Amino acid sequence: MPGNSQRKGAVRRKGKGNTAGSGGRVRRGLEGKGPTPKAEDRPYHKAYRAKQTRDRQSAARPRRTTPAKGVGPEWIFGRNPVLEALQAELPVQAAYVAEGAERDDRLRDIFKIIADRGMTMLQTNRADLDRMTAGAVHQGVAIQLPAYEYKHPDDLLAEAGPQPLFVALDHVTDPRNLGAVIRSAAAFGADGVLIPERRSAGMTAAAWKTSAGAAARIPVARATNLTRTLQSYAKAGVFVVGLDGDGDTDIADLPQAGDPLVLVVGSEGEGLSRLVRDACDTVAAIPIASSVESLNAGVATSIALYEVSRARSR
């Protein structure tokens, strides 16, 4: 029967593999080639050379980066800003001057202050100074401030005196306002400033400068959640007073001014947020003329601290 023959040569072969012929060789020749590379990935193509040129230019171009608020060192550059920062006794981690920088009175004053403070002015080339300051107009001179070390809110409370006075800022995003608040806190005997981690100004160079050096004496704490921190302070016996234009009490007549106190100041545009306002024991107002809508955070804090300080001295 067909297929059952016992004759040698009549047995069918089993197994895999290509049979004789051209089909297997042609198929193998087509395997493993993959898709055609892009033009910019083929070294012989003009698109490849153009891409290499673009990559070199991108690598050489200084990139401006925005560091997270309050994180990492801050740079101050330009002759006037550097001189003013040094005169305000801001902490300096390093000072740099570009090789061949033209000497003028400002630069000579900078050198003198650096020498008087026992610091070293490091000389570098302009390309390196451009890179360090992210391509800013530095006029051949720059200083680097150390990264600010924030307190924990619990430590801020624990290290204060028996009748502590704090200022908390709710969504105040201007670092100059933060610096002004710190300066007022130092002037009126406050024990520290409390800020939230998010949607808040941090201790940048602008805040340091506006504080006129007071940031070296007044601790600043950052709270993960300002509302919960205020509630925690209240449980510890600290009276929480919010400042708002429609407050129930005149800040000058606050009965709890002599108690452990935290003044909570909101942003100029939005004021106190709802949750923070709810965490306050009372809301006090600063009387102002009807023609003025509001005060900025720095001014409002100064007035409130003055009134509290005056009440405590009676």
Side-chain angles (χ1 to χ4, degrees), residues 85-129:
L86 292 172
Q87 290 172 337
E89 299 184 357
L90 270 62
V92 177
Q93 179 173 293
Y96 296 89
V97 63
E99 296 172 352
E102 183 180 353
R103 304 295 177 94
D104 61 7
D105 290 340
R106 294 171 298 173
L107 193 56
R108 281 188 282 270
D109 289 341
I110 290 170
F111 287 157
K112 185 179 185 305
I113 296 174
I114 291 289
D116 291 344
R117 293 175 63 173
M119 297 176 55
T120 301
M121 178 70 84
L122 303 174
Q123 191 175 67
T124 184
N125 59 55
R126 284 190 173 271
D128 285 343
L129 197 55

Side-chain angles (χ1 to χ4, degrees), residues 149-222:
E149 295 183 6
Y150 294 95
K151 287 271 189 183
H152 190 280
D154 293 345
D155 295 334
L156 189 67
L157 180 59
E159 295 171 8
Q163 287 186 304
L165 175 60
F166 306 107
V167 178
L169 300 181
D170 180 27
H171 293 165
V172 174
T173 56
D174 188 339
R176 292 168 297 183
N177 266 332
L178 173 58
V181 167
I182 293 171
R183 187 173 184 177
S184 295
F188 295 110
D191 294 278
V193 175
L194 184 65
I195 62 174
E197 286 186 358
R198 299 178 60 191
R199 293 185 62 190
S200 172
M203 284 307 301
T204 62
W208 267 107
K209 183 178 176 181
T210 310
S211 78
R217 304 188 299 275
I218 295 294
V220 178
R222 285 206 301 181

